[in-house]
Amino acid sequence: MNQPDVQGFFDSGTNTVSYVVNDPKTGKCAVIDSVLDFDYASGCTDTESADKLIEFVRDKFLETEWILESHVHADHLSAAPYIQQELGGKIAIGENIVVVQEKFGKVFNEGTLFQRDGSQFDKLFCDGDSFKVGSIPAFVMHTPGHTPACMTFVIGDAAFCGDTVFMPDFGTARVDFPGGSAEDLYESIQKIFSLPDATRLFVGHDYKAPGRDEFSWETTVGEQKSSNVHIGSGRAKEEFVKLRNERDKNLGMPRLIVPSLQVNMRAGNMPEADDNGMTYLKVPVNALREQENQ
């Protein structure tokens, strides 16, 4: 059976779930949506979260083939370069990273040194591309809506959907970031719903919906189709778009959106150091809100 072993790592600071997905037959693995700890007040990074993941990979004697990013995250910094340094593997994201780089390259006034061609990544996936984790067949689905570059990775009987949908009792991703679209999100979720009902579905965050005692991140396509509070039970597109857009009007920006975008559009690398040798992250005053309203 093409059934990978999946280990989730929950980061309480950002409510992010990172994954190690491995082929039991070969010991090859993929790392999905890793986290670099960042203290905004001090500007300091830390690798505690990533080190837990690295320790697991080493303890299981796994060989890392892929370091996958489901999208350019706005709520945490990626630890992809650090993971690659420690474990190897190719850093990969969807080809529409170039759309995100172009948009936010302008917002942060990155200038000509910042390449907007996705070259910071080792691999840019197109919709429908296939790959393998060890002997397990895998493919990618372009699932935009939350961002233009969102991808779902289907590895054997498991799908990793990033922020496209959350646990059924929490619903679906916000669409108010620049390039987001409730219409696109609806169609993307229908693509995910076209997978077999028994497909294990692993989400990128969990916020423990009211009434639930524990954090969770594994569900199935069938469960999502039947009971997702935003889009389950066959909810019509027009109704979903209205619900999603109205809900997002009241959401604040993620706490780490400013540093996250600058780092993650560079495949987890920091911006080039200034001529004094120091690395800086910019805060564009009012610019993100203006982009959101366009």
Side-chain angles (χ1 to χ4, degrees):
M1 290 182 61
N2 292 319
Q3 186 174 46
D5 289 340
V6 180
Q7 179 65 47
F9 296 81
F10 184 74
D11 175 59
S12 59
T14 63
N15 290 81
T16 301
V17 191
S18 305
Y19 296 99
V20 174
V21 187
N22 78 84
D23 173 14
K25 293 181 180 178
T26 65
K28 304 291 181 66
C29 75
V31 173
I32 301 177
D33 290 342
S34 61
V35 173
L36 178 70
D37 304 308
F38 183 71
D39 180 63
Y40 211 157
S42 67
C44 292
T45 62
D46 192 270
T47 60
E48 181 179 357
S49 295
D51 286 336
K52 292 176 183 177
L53 187 153
I54 291 167
E55 181 181 14
F56 175 85
V57 170
R58 288 176 173 162
D59 285 350
K60 296 292 184 181
F61 301 101
L62 302 176
E63 180 183 345
T64 305
E65 292 186 304
W66 295 100
I67 302 166
L68 304 174
E69 299 288 342
S70 61
H71 62 294
V72 174
H73 311 277
D75 42 35
H76 72 271
L77 281 64
S78 169
Y82 178 65
I83 298 289
Q84 187 178 57
Q85 172 189 307
E86 297 297 314
L87 299 176
K90 295 180 179 180
I91 302 174
I93 199 168
E95 64 173 347
N96 274 19
I97 178 62
V98 299
V99 176
V100 177
Q101 289 177 329
E102 182 63 29
K103 181 174 290 290
F104 290 109
K106 293 177 180 177
V107 170
F108 293 104
N109 194 31
E110 294 293 351
T112 57
L113 289 179
F114 174 59
Q115 298 298 311
R116 295 160 170 82
D117 57 2
S119 57
Q120 300 87 345
F121 297 82
D122 300 311
K123 172 68 176 179
L124 301 184
F125 281 120
C126 301
D127 185 39
D129 277 354
S130 60
F131 65 106
K132 284 187 175 182
V133 176
S135 64
I136 298 178
F139 67 94
V140 297
M141 295 192 299
H142 182 214
T143 48
H146 176 58
T147 79
C150 288
M151 305 295 280
T152 294
F153 301 103
V154 184
I155 304 172
D157 75 334
F160 301 84
C161 62
D163 295 4
T164 303
V165 294
F166 300 126
M167 294 300 289
D169 60 358
F170 200 84
T172 60
R174 63 192 295 170
V175 298
D176 58 324
F177 295 154
S181 163
E183 291 83 357
D184 288 348
L185 185 66
Y186 183 90
E187 296 301 334
S188 293
I189 294 172
Q190 301 314 305
K191 290 174 68 173
I192 294 172
F193 284 179
S194 71
L195 295 169
D197 283 356
T199 303
R200 294 181 290 162
L201 192 62
F202 294 90
V203 302
H205 296 280
D206 187 53
Y207 302 95
K208 200 163 60 174
R212 176 152 51 88
D213 294 330
E214 302 293 334
F215 290 107
S216 301
W217 45 82
E218 179 180 352
T219 177
T220 67
V221 169
E223 289 170 350
Q224 291 281 4
K225 287 165 65 174
S226 66
S227 57
N228 185 288
V229 294
H230 290 168
I231 202 168
S233 303
R235 175 162 290 186
K237 182 175 183 178
E238 294 76 12
E239 185 181 357
F240 171 78
V241 169
K242 183 174 184 291
L243 178 153
R244 189 68 263 175
N245 285 334
E246 289 183 352
R247 184 180 179 88
D248 290 353
K249 290 177 183 178
N250 300 314
L251 296 179
M253 287 285 185
R255 180 175 60 90
L256 295 179
I257 187 170
V258 169
S260 295
L261 292 174
Q262 292 174 79
V263 170
N264 295 339
M265 69 182 182
R266 291 176 163 88
N269 292 294
M270 292 290 170
E272 292 287 334
D274 274 14
D275 55 12
N276 64 355
M278 296 287 291
T279 298
Y280 295 90
L281 294 166
K282 301 175 182 177
V283 179
V285 179
N286 293 326
L288 288 176
R289 182 60 66 189
E290 291 170 2
Q291 285 285 320
E292 179 188 43
N293 293 330
Q294 288 180 3

